[in-house]
C-alpha cells in the first residue's frame, strides 16, 4: 500500500513531493499547552475527549435506570432520583454528547478535508470549547445542588419547570448549562461555515467538497436558525422563574403551549443537527471501503438541504397530543422528510452496489448504522401520523424510535468516525479484532435494549416512570432491555480498552491506512501544526484517489505490488 | 405461498392492540396499514443493504466500475417514496378527521381534570364527582355504545389522559381546555394512566375506565347521585 517509496519508477518518484519531513508534532507543552491552544486539532481532540466522558456519564445514568426498571417496584433508586437521571441523561446525550461530538469531529476534520491550515477563527474556536465545557460542568454538577439536578425532563415543559413545579436551583443550573452549550454551538457553527466557504484549498470547489464538509455546512446553517429560539425560550423561562415574568403562565394570560413551540422550534432541527454530521461521516466511509465514488453526490447534497429546510417546518409533530396543533400541515411535512432520508439510503446502497467492500471496523459501524437507522426512520413515518401518535406518544414506542435514530444511528456513526479517523488523529492503529468485538457487543446490546421497547409502547407502557405494575405483562420485555444495556455497557468498556491498548501498543498507522479519498489522508498521522506540507491537485471530490490512479496511468502499477 | 405471506403479515400486525373504542378501532386500522407498508419498504431496503453487503464483499483487488450517478434511477427512488407518503397522508387525514370529530349532542359529558397526582371525573348533569384517593385509583364510569364527551383541564401542570386500549391520549393543558369524543361499543374495564410527565408521582396517576351496559350505567348514576 506504500506509495512507491521503493523508487523503482524514477519518473514518478521525481514528481512526488519531497520526502515528508519528520512530523512537526506539537505534542510538547503539557496541560498549559492544552488550555491555551487555538489549534483546531487540539481543540477537536478536547471536544472528542470531553464529549466521550459525558457519553460515559450519560450511559451510566441509563444503566442505573435500566437496572431500576428490570423489576416492578423500586429497588435501587427513589422516584425523584430516577426523574433526575432521565432528565440529565437526555440532556447529556443531546447537548453534551451527540451534537458537540459532531462539532468536535468537524473541528478536527473540516479544515483537514478542505486543505486548510486551521479554522477561520481559532480563538473563537477555543472560546467555543471552554464555554461548552462550562455548560457541561454546570449541568452535570447540578446533581450536587440542594434538591438535586433538574427533574423536569430534558424538554423542561412549563409549568413543571416553572417556579411552583420545580422550586429548587436544579432547573436554573440546567437552563444556564444549556444556554452556555448553545452559545458555544452557535460560535462553532459560524466558524465552520466561514472556514468551509473561505479557506478551501485551490481547486476545492463547492461541488468537490467531501460530503462530511457539506453536511457540516448544512448542520451549521440549522444551528444558526434553531438555537436562537431555544435561547429565547429558556431565557423567558428563567424570567418567569425569577423575575416575575408571565410569558408561559396561563393565570396571567401567558401560554403554556408557547414554551413547547419555542422548545420544539429548536428541538426538531436539533434532531437533524444530531444526525447530519454522521450521515456525512458514513457517506465518506462507505465509498472508501467499497472502492467506488459515492453514488449520487448531487442528490445527497440536495437531500441534506431538503432535510434542513423541512426540519424547520415539522416542530409541532412533537405536540399533536396537546390538541393545540391538529393542523395536518405538520403531519405532511414530517412525512416528506422521509423522502430525502430515503435518498440517502439509496446513495449508500448504490455506492456499495457493484463495489469491492472490505468490512474493516469503520465499515462495520456504517453497516450497523444503516440497519439501525432504517428502523428508526420507518417508525418515524408512523409517529408522523397524528392518530398513530395519539396511541404511541410518550410511550416506550417513541423511546424506541428516537433511540434507533440517535443511538442506533448517531452513536454508530460516531463510532464509525472514531474508528476511521483514530489512526489519523493519533498515528496509531486500533486492534481490528477488539474493534470487531466492540461492534458485535454494542450492536447486539443495542438491539436487545431497544427493539422490545416498541412492543412495550404498544402495550401501553408510558415514558418516564420508575416503577410499573407487575400484572401488565411488561416485566420480561424490560428485563431483556436491561440485559441489552448491560451488554452495550460491556462493549463501551471494551472500546475504552481498545483505545488504551492502541496507545500502549503504539503500532504505527501510516499516513493512509484505508486508502482514503480525501485530503486528510495526504498528510502525516497525526498531521503537523498547520496540517499540510503538500497537497495533491484537487480535480474531483476524491483528490487522493485521483492521485493514486495517476500512478497507475503512468505505468507505475508494479510499484504497488 | 401467498397464504403464508398473509399469515405472516397478520401475525406481525398482531402486535398492534385492537382499539376498544370506535375511535381506537380507526386508529388500529390505520396503524395496521402503516405496519404493512413499513414491512414492504423495510423488506426492500433491508434486502438491498444486506444483499449488496454480502454480494459485493471484497473478493479481489480489482478496481470496480466507478459508477457516480444514474439520473433515471435517482428520479425513481425520489418519486416513489413521495407517492407512498402522499398515500399515507391521505389515509392519515381521513382517520384524524374521524378521531377528532365531536358530536353536537353527546349522550354524556364528563369533565376530567388532572392534578398532581390524581384525576377528578365530574358528571355535570348529575352532579357526581369521582376523585383519586391515596389508596385507590379512580374509575371513570361511562355507558357502552354511546358517545361520551370528555372535557379535559388542569390547574397545575400538564398531564395526559391515556387509555392504552383506546389507542388514544390527549393532554390536559393548563389554560387550554381540550375535548374529545369516546364511543366504547362493548362493555369492559380498561386501564388508564397519565402519559405526560408531571412530577414525582407521575407513574402513580393511574385510573380505570368502566364501560357499563346502558341499564347498569343508569343504575350507577342513580345510586351515586342519590348518595351525594
Amino acid at each position: 500500500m506504500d506509495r512507491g517509496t521503493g523508487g523503482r519508477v524514477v519518473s514518478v518518484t521525481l514528481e512526488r513531493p519531497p520526502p515528508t519531513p519528520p512530523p512537526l508534532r506539537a505534542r510538547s507543552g503539557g496541560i498549559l499547552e492544552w488550555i491555551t491552544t487555538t489549534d483546531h486539532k487540539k481543540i477537536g481532540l478536547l471536544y472528542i475527549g470531553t464529549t466521550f466522558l459525558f457519553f460515559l456519564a450519560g450511559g451510566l445514568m441509563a444503566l442505573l435506570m435500566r437496572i431500576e426498571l428490570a423489576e416492578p417496584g423500586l429497588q435501587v433508586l427513589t422516584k425523584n432520583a430516577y426523574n433526575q437521571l432521565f432528565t440529565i441523561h437526555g440532556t447529556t446525550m443531546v447537548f453534551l454528547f451527540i451534537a458537540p461530538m459532531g462539532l468536535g469531529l468537524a473541528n478536527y476534520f473540516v479544515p483537514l478535508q478542505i486543505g486548510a491550515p486551521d479554522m477561520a477563527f481559532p480563538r473563537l474556536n477555543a472560546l467555543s470549547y471552554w464555554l461548552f465545557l462550562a455548560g457541561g460542568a454546570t449541568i452535570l454538577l447540578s446533581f450536587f445542588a440542594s434538591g438535586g439536578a433538574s427533574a423536569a425532563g430534558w424538554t423542561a415543559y412549563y409549568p413543571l419547570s416553572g417556579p411552583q413545579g420545580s422550586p429548587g436551583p436544579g432547573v436554573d443550573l440546567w437552563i444556564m448549562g444549556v444556554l452556555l452549550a448553545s452559545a458555544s454551538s452557535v460560535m462553532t457553527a459560524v466558524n465552520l461555515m466561514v472556514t468551509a466557504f473561505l479557506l478551501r484549498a485551490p481547486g476545492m470547489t463547492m461541488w468537490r467538497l467531501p460530503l462530511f464538509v457539506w453536511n457540516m455546512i448544512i448542520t451549521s446553517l440549522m444551528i444558526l436558525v434553531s438555537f436562537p429560539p431555544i435561547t429565547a425560550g429558556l431565557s423567558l423561562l428563567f424570567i418567569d422563574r425569577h423575575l416575575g415574568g408571565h410569558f408561559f403562565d396561563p393565570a396571567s394570560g401567558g401560554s403554556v403551549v408557547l414554551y413547547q413551540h419555542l422548545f420544539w422550534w429548536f428541538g426538531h432541527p436539533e434532531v437533524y443537527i444530531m444526525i447530519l454530521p454522521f450521515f456525512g461521516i458514513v457517506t465518506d466511509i462507505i465509498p472508501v471501503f467499497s472502492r467506488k465514488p459515492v453514488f449520487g453526490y448531487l442528490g445527497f447534497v440536495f437531500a441534506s438541504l431538503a432535510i434542513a429546510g423541512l426540519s424547520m417546518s415539522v416542530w409541532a409533530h412533537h405536540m399533536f397530543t396537546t390538541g393545540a396543533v391538529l393542523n395536518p400541515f405538520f403531519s405532511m411535512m414530517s412525512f416528506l422528510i422521509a423522502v430525502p432520508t430515503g435518498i440517502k439510503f439509496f446513495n449508500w446502497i448504490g455506492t456499495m452496489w457493484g463495489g469491492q467492500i472490505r468490512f474493516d471496523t469503520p465499515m462495520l459501524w456504517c453497516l450497523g448504522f444503516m440497519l439501525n437507522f432504517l428502523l428508526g426512520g420507518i417508525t418515524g413515518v408512523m409517529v408522523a401520523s397524528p392518530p398513530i401518535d395519539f396511541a404511541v406518544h410518550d410511550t416506550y414506542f417513541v423511546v424506541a424510535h428516537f433511540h434507533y435514530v440517535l443511538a442506533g444511528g448517531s452513536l454508530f456513526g460516531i463510532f464509525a468516525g472514531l474508528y476511521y479517523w483514530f489512526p489519523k488523529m493519533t498515528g496509531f492503529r486500533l486492534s481490528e479484532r477488539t474493534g470487531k468485538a466492540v461492534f458485535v457487543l454494542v450492536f447486539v446490546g443495542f438491539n436487545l435494549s431497544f427493539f422490545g421497547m416498541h412492543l412495550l409502547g404498544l402495550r401501553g407502557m408510558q415514558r418516564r416512570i420508575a416503577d410499573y405494575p407487575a400484572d401488565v405483562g411488561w416485566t420480561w420485555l424490560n428485563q431483556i432491555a436491561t440485559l441489552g444495556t448491560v451488554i452495550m455497557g460491556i462493549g463501551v468498556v471494551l472500546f475504552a480498552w481498545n483505545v488504551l491498548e492502541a496507545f500502549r501498543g503504539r503500532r504505527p498507522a501510516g499516513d493512509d491506512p484505508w486508502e482514503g479519498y480525501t485530503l486528510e489522508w495526504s498528510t502525516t498521522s497525526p498531521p503537523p501544526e498547520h496540517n499540510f506540507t503538500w497537497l495533491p491537485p484537487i480535480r474531483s471530490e476524491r483528490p487522493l484517489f485521483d492521485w493514486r490512479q495517476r500512478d497507475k496511468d503512468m505505468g507505475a502499477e508494479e510499484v504497488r505490488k | 405461498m401467498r397464504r403464508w405471506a398473509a399469515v405472516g403479515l397478520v401475525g406481525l400486525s398482531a402486535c398492534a392492540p385492537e382499539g376498544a373504542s370506535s375511535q381506537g378501532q380507526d386508529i388500529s386500522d390505520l396503524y395496521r396499514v402503516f405496519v404493512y407498508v413499513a414491512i414492504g419498504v423495510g423488506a426492500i431496503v433491508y434486502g438491498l443493504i444486506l444483499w449488496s453487503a454480502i454480494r459485493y464483499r471484497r473478493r479481489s483487488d480489482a478496481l470496480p466500475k466507478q459508477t457516480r450517478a444514474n439520473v433515471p434511477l435517482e428520479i425513481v427512488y425520489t418519486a416513489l417514496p413521495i407517492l407512498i407518503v402522499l398515500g399515507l397522508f391521505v389515509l392519515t387525514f381521513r382517520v384524524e378527521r374521524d378521531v377528532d370529530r365531536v358530536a353536537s349532542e353527546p349522550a354524556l359529558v364528563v369533565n376530567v381534570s388532572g392534578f398532581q397526582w390524581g384525576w377528578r371525573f365530574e358528571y355535570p348533569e348529575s352532579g357526581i364527582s369521582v376523585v383519586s384517593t391515596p389508596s385507590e385509583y379512580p374509575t371513570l364510569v361511562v355507558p357502552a355504545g354511546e358517545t361520551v364527551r370528555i372535557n379535559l383541564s388542569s390547574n397545575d401542570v400538564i398531564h395526559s389522559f391515556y387509555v392504552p386500549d383506546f389507542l388514544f391520549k390527549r393532554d390536559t393543558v393548563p389554560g387550554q381546555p381540550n375535548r374529545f369524543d369516546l364511543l366504547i361499543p362493548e362493555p369492559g374495564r380498561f386501564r388508564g394512566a397519565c402519559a405526560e410527565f408531571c412530577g414525582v408521582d407521575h407513574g402513580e396517576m393511574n385510573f380505570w375506565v368502566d364501560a357499563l351496559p346502558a341499564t347498569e350505567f343508569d343504575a350507577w348514576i342513580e345510586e351515586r347521585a342519590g348518595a351525594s
Side-chain angles (χ1 to χ4, degrees):
Chain A
M1 303 288 161
D2 191 280
R3 282 204 312 269
T5 41
R8 285 164 69 183
V9 181
V10 177
S11 65
V12 175
T13 43
L14 278 181
E15 288 184 22
R16 287 185 175 285
T20 333
L24 311 165
R25 291 211 184 154
R27 67 170 58 238
S28 62
I31 193 148
L32 198 66
E33 170 76 30
W34 286 93
I35 290 175
T36 57
T37 186
T38 57
D39 174 9
H40 75 98
K41 295 186 293 298
K42 285 216 169 92
I43 295 173
L45 288 177
L46 284 171
Y47 259 111
I48 293 165
T50 313
T51 51
F52 196 80
L53 289 180
F54 288 149
F55 165 65
L56 293 182
L60 200 63
M61 295 177 214
L63 196 59
L64 281 170
M65 287 189 283
R66 282 309 330 167
I67 290 170
E68 177 55 60
L69 287 171
E71 293 283 337
L74 291 169
Q75 289 86 29
V76 290
L77 298 171
T78 62
K79 284 178 199 165
N80 189 276
Y82 184 90
N83 295 345
Q84 293 179 31
L85 283 176
F86 73 66
T87 298
I88 305 298
H89 165 78
T91 306
T92 304
M93 293 308 196
V94 168
F95 289 103
L96 307 180
F97 172 52
I98 299 176
M101 178 62 100
L103 295 176
L105 289 166
N107 235 300
Y108 201 108
F109 287 103
V110 164
L112 278 167
Q113 288 198 323
I114 63 173
D118 203 321
M119 296 276 275
F121 306 118
R123 272 179 290 185
L124 184 70
N125 201 17
L127 178 61
S128 295
Y129 170 75
W130 294 104
L131 282 180
F132 162 71
L133 183 66
T138 308
I139 290 168
L140 286 183
L141 293 177
S142 69
F143 276 113
F144 303 108
S146 76
S150 167
W154 85 277
T155 50
Y157 276 5
Y158 196 92
L160 188 62
S161 60
Q164 279 87 40
S166 307
V171 173
D172 298 319
L173 292 168
W174 179 88
I175 291 172
M176 291 306 154
V178 173
L179 286 180
L180 286 168
S182 68
S184 146
S185 299
V186 169
M187 290 177 194
T188 304
V190 171
N191 214 341
L192 282 171
M193 280 181 105
V194 176
T195 306
F197 285 142
L198 298 183
L199 296 190
R200 282 168 287 127
M204 181 62 82
T205 63
M206 292 302 278
W207 293 124
R208 291 175 189 164
L209 282 179
L211 288 167
F212 176 61
V213 178
W214 255 118
N215 271 15
M216 286 316 305
I217 293 173
I218 295 165
T219 302
S220 303
L221 194 71
M222 285 194 288
I223 289 177
L224 291 186
V225 179
S226 68
F227 273 77
I230 182 101
T231 308
L234 294 187
S235 304
L236 298 185
L237 178 60
F238 189 84
I239 292 169
D240 270 14
R241 283 174 63 82
H242 291 293
L243 304 174
H246 301 282
F247 295 105
F248 308 127
D249 178 8
S252 318
S255 163
V256 165
V257 177
L258 174 64
Y259 175 83
Q260 297 188 23
H261 279 297
L262 287 170
F263 186 87
W264 289 114
W265 216 99
F266 146 82
H268 206 82
E270 170 75 357
V271 172
Y272 295 94
I273 291 167
M274 287 190 284
I275 195 72
L276 277 192
F278 311 108
F279 280 169
I281 290 175
V282 166
T283 317
D284 272 2
I285 294 176
I286 292 174
V288 168
F289 288 84
S290 306
R291 303 197 71 192
K292 282 183 62 196
V294 66
F295 179 81
Y297 179 102
L298 279 179
F300 184 91
V301 174
F302 283 115
S304 288
L305 284 166
I307 286 177
L310 287 168
S311 80
M312 309 288 170
S313 53
V314 300
W315 75 91
H317 71 204
H318 297 270
M319 300 160 58
F320 286 147
T321 63
T322 60
V325 283
L326 294 170
N327 187 336
F329 169 81
F330 293 105
S331 172
M332 185 66 229
M333 291 294 125
S334 310
F335 280 136
L336 279 179
I337 277 204
V339 176
T341 315
I343 291 175
K344 287 173 189 287
F345 269 96
F346 291 114
N347 291 138
W348 299 324
I349 293 167
T351 307
M352 296 199 296
W353 196 268
Q356 291 276 355
I357 308 169
R358 202 173 66 199
F359 284 99
D360 293 321
T361 38
M363 186 64 194
L364 271 183
W365 288 103
C366 290
L367 186 66
F369 171 94
M370 285 186 270
L371 296 176
N372 294 333
F373 186 81
L374 179 57
L375 188 54
I378 286 175
T379 52
V381 175
M382 293 177 154
V383 294
S385 172
I388 295 176
D389 191 65
F390 294 158
V392 297
H393 181 73
D394 270 328
T395 70
Y396 266 85
F397 189 91
V398 167
V399 175
H401 157 68
F402 67 71
H403 279 92
Y404 265 86
V405 173
L406 291 180
S410 302
L411 177 65
F412 276 63
I414 287 168
F415 274 121
L418 291 177
Y419 274 93
Y420 181 57
W421 281 322
F422 184 87
K424 180 52 62 184
M425 294 187 284
T426 63
F428 303 132
R429 219 150 32 84
L430 287 162
S431 155
E432 274 288 310
R433 267 184 63 182
T434 317
K436 282 176 179 159
V438 174
F439 171 76
V440 170
L441 285 169
V442 175
F443 186 79
V444 171
F446 167 78
N447 280 288
L448 281 179
S449 294
F450 294 105
F451 189 82
M453 287 187 189
H454 294 108
L455 299 178
L456 276 176
L458 292 171
R459 289 173 176 209
M461 182 165 174
Q462 72 270 41
R463 292 169 76 172
R464 297 174 166 177
I465 52 172
D467 183 13
Y468 52 90
D471 58 357
V472 284
W474 300 341
T475 312
W476 65 278
L477 285 164
N478 273 299
Q479 283 169 340
I480 291 175
T482 302
L483 174 72
T485 311
V486 171
I487 295 175
M488 232 177 141
I490 297 171
V492 173
V493 171
L494 190 63
F495 172 74
W497 165 251
N498 204 183
V499 170
L500 290 177
E501 190 275 332
F503 278 114
R504 277 181 27 177
R506 305 183 79 81
R507 294 175 296 273
D511 293 350
D512 185 11
W514 313 117
E515 297 205 312
Y517 291 164
T518 39
L519 292 179
E520 74 268 31
W521 304 107
S522 69
T523 183
T524 54
S525 305
E529 216 166 339
H530 299 135
N531 299 342
F532 298 99
T533 51
W534 166 81
L535 279 174
I538 300 158
R539 302 269 183 271
S540 75
E541 87 280 10
R542 299 190 295 169
L544 239 68
F545 176 86
D546 298 342
W547 182 256
R548 277 195 299 270
Q549 284 309 107
R550 173 181 166 283
D551 288 356
K552 291 181 191 164
D553 296 345
M554 294 184 70
E557 186 70 55
E558 74 263 37
V559 172
R560 298 183 69 248
K561 274 263 156 75
Chain B
M1 189 63 205
R2 188 171 295 169
R3 184 180 298 167
W4 283 114
V7 169
L9 281 179
V10 171
L12 280 162
S13 64
C15 44
E18 296 287 324
S21 63
S22 78
Q23 291 82 357
Q25 194 53 57
D26 291 346
I27 295 175
S28 177
D29 293 343
L30 180 70
Y31 176 83
R32 204 149 288 154
V33 174
F34 270 69
V35 170
Y36 293 151
V37 174
I39 290 171
V41 172
I44 292 169
V45 184
Y46 274 117
L48 286 171
I49 294 172
L50 291 173
W51 164 262
S52 44
I54 294 166
R55 168 67 183 77
Y56 299 110
R57 68 188 183 279
R58 189 161 299 186
R59 298 165 191 212
S60 80
D61 237 6
L63 191 66
K65 188 159 174 267
Q66 302 290 297
T67 317
R68 294 180 157 269
N70 181 333
V71 174
L73 183 63
E74 290 177 57
I75 290 172
V76 168
Y77 70 56
T78 309
L80 270 184
I82 292 179
L83 293 179
I84 293 175
V85 296
L86 280 178
L88 292 176
F89 177 71
V90 171
L91 294 175
T92 289
F93 185 77
R94 287 192 189 154
V95 174
E96 184 177 359
R97 199 186 47 197
D98 290 348
V99 171
D100 287 337
R101 183 177 291 139
V102 282
S104 52
E105 302 239 323
L108 173 73
V109 176
V110 185
N111 295 330
V112 172
S113 56
F115 56 90
Q116 286 174 317
W117 289 273
W119 297 94
R120 181 177 291 111
F121 305 129
E122 282 170 341
Y123 298 70
E125 287 144 31
S126 46
I128 298 171
S129 173
V130 181
V131 188
S132 296
T133 64
S135 58
E136 213 179 343
Y137 298 137
T139 302
L140 171 63
V141 180
V142 294
E146 305 214 46
T147 300
V148 180
R149 165 75 41 79
I150 306 284
N151 292 319
L152 295 169
S153 64
S154 163
N155 283 323
D156 46 31
V157 302
I158 307 172
H159 306 276
S160 190
F161 178 93
Y162 172 40
V163 181
D165 283 324
F166 302 162
L167 301 184
F168 189 79
K169 68 177 65 70
R170 183 62 48 91
D171 297 354
T172 68
V173 184
Q176 183 205 299
N178 274 332
R179 60 179 190 170
F180 65 91
D181 274 6
L182 193 57
L183 196 160
I184 307 166
E186 299 296 324
R189 184 170 171 83
F190 311 99
R191 194 181 57 81
C194 174
E196 180 63 56
F197 178 63
C198 57
V200 175
D201 280 324
H202 164 57
E204 290 298 309
M205 256 182 85
N206 298 336
F207 58 92
W208 294 98
V209 178
D210 268 359
L212 301 179
T215 49
E216 285 181 40
F217 177 76
D218 292 341
W220 181 83
I221 288 278
E222 245 168 68
E223 181 198 334
R224 289 300 298 255
S228 60

